[in-house]
Amino acid sequence: MQRAKFALPSFVTLLSIACGFGSIVISVDNAFIGNAHDYRLAAVLLVLAGVFDALDGMVARATGTSSDFGMQLDSIADVMNFGCAPGLLLYCYGFVQLGAHQPTLLRLGGMASFFFVACGALRLARFNVNVGRTDPRYFVGIPITAGAACVASVVVAWPDPPTSLLQAALLALLLFAVGGLMVSTIRFPSTKQKKSKAALVLVLVNLALLAWLQSVFFVLFFAVYIGATLALNLGWKLGWRGIAPPAVYTD
């Protein structure tokens, strides 16, 4: 039993990988069919992969089984679940059917999807080598999990595939923009911020909005999250210190 408990965190990580792989299979199978329900299911599986991704660390800490092996497995899983899976989902969802008659659009969609995947991999590599070298209250660039949820939220809100070139172009722009945010040096608040009554109120407000707006809530949430973060970073550059900026380490 003492040995077996070390397998628990890795088993939870494998469940996360299973969800990401399931999302990929559904996306590919549905690419030329365009069933809205299947695309939404593929997006929901990515959310479930995120849940398991959060749980594996909790299990490791609760059982005292944290290890370098687990950290490496988790990082590899993140590339697949929150890089490849959402990139392929958006490619199949937004470009395959329209691209059948627009080869240029299909190539644009492929480049945008790959750009997102590449930026996600670079983001994870930078995170791995900077552990302990940055302020834990802030992420350097949007986390890959949040980036994946951001692009997948579009599929959750509007599961019917795009029917116009403008819609497909906006999806490509979204992939380029979120990919760019992942490799940027913009500081995004993390969950390790100091807990306060205001934070609790914010959580309750978001839960109320989720109950009211349902699937559209996620698009609104990430739009506000990214917009507020960009405004915060701009305020720091202009000298505003109403919220303390991240600590800078000399190393």
Side-chain angles (χ1 to χ4, degrees):
M1 291 299 295
Q2 188 68 15
R3 286 184 176 182
K5 73 176 185 179
F6 279 87
L8 284 175
S10 296
F11 177 71
V12 177
T13 304
L14 290 175
L15 290 177
S16 174
I17 294 175
C19 291
F21 180 73
S23 177
I24 289 174
V25 170
I26 292 172
S27 299
V28 172
D29 287 347
N30 196 39
F32 292 100
I33 301 172
N35 185 282
H37 173 75
D38 285 349
Y39 278 134
R40 178 171 280 173
L41 176 59
V44 169
L45 281 174
L46 294 182
V47 176
L48 191 57
V51 173
F52 285 124
D53 179 66
L55 284 176
D56 62 5
M58 294 173 60
V59 170
R61 288 188 292 271
T63 58
T65 54
S66 298
S67 66
D68 290 339
F69 175 83
M71 291 176 60
Q72 295 301 322
L73 180 62
D74 182 69
S75 186
I76 292 170
D78 286 350
V79 173
M80 174 179 170
N81 296 336
F82 310 119
C84 295
L88 189 60
L89 169 60
L90 267 291
Y91 175 74
C92 295
Y93 165 80
F95 306 104
V96 170
Q97 288 189 310
L98 283 175
H101 305 289
Q102 299 284 343
T104 302
L105 176 65
L106 194 63
R107 296 188 188 98
L108 174 64
M111 288 188 292
S113 298
F114 172 72
F115 181 80
F116 178 87
V117 175
C119 288
L122 292 170
R123 167 70 177 75
L124 283 169
R126 183 177 65 184
F127 175 81
N128 290 343
V129 299
N130 281 334
V131 172
R133 297 182 177 181
T134 59
D135 191 331
R137 297 174 301 161
Y138 297 95
F139 294 114
V140 182
I142 189 171
I144 189 172
T145 49
C150 181
V151 297
S153 67
V154 174
V155 183
V156 174
W158 301 288
D160 291 303
T163 55
S164 69
L165 293 179
L166 176 60
Q167 292 173 333
L170 289 175
L171 275 181
L173 181 62
L174 175 68
L175 288 165
F176 281 121
V178 176
L181 286 174
M182 285 195 287
V183 295
S184 73
T185 56
I186 296 171
R187 302 304 177 97
F188 283 77
S190 75
T191 55
K192 294 181 180 179
Q193 295 286 335
K194 184 179 179 181
K195 304 301 184 289
S196 63
K197 291 182 178 179
L200 177 60
V201 171
L202 187 61
V203 170
L204 294 175
V205 169
N206 276 280
L207 289 175
L209 286 173
L210 175 60
W212 177 37
L213 298 174
Q214 297 181 4
S215 59
V216 180
F217 164 79
F218 298 103
V219 175
L220 176 64
F221 173 83
F222 284 108
V224 173
Y225 174 60
I226 292 174
T229 299
L230 293 177
L232 178 62
N233 280 262
L234 179 61
W236 286 334
K237 283 188 175 296
L238 296 177
W240 181 71
R241 293 297 182 267
I243 296 177
V248 178
Y249 295 83
T250 55
D251 181 7

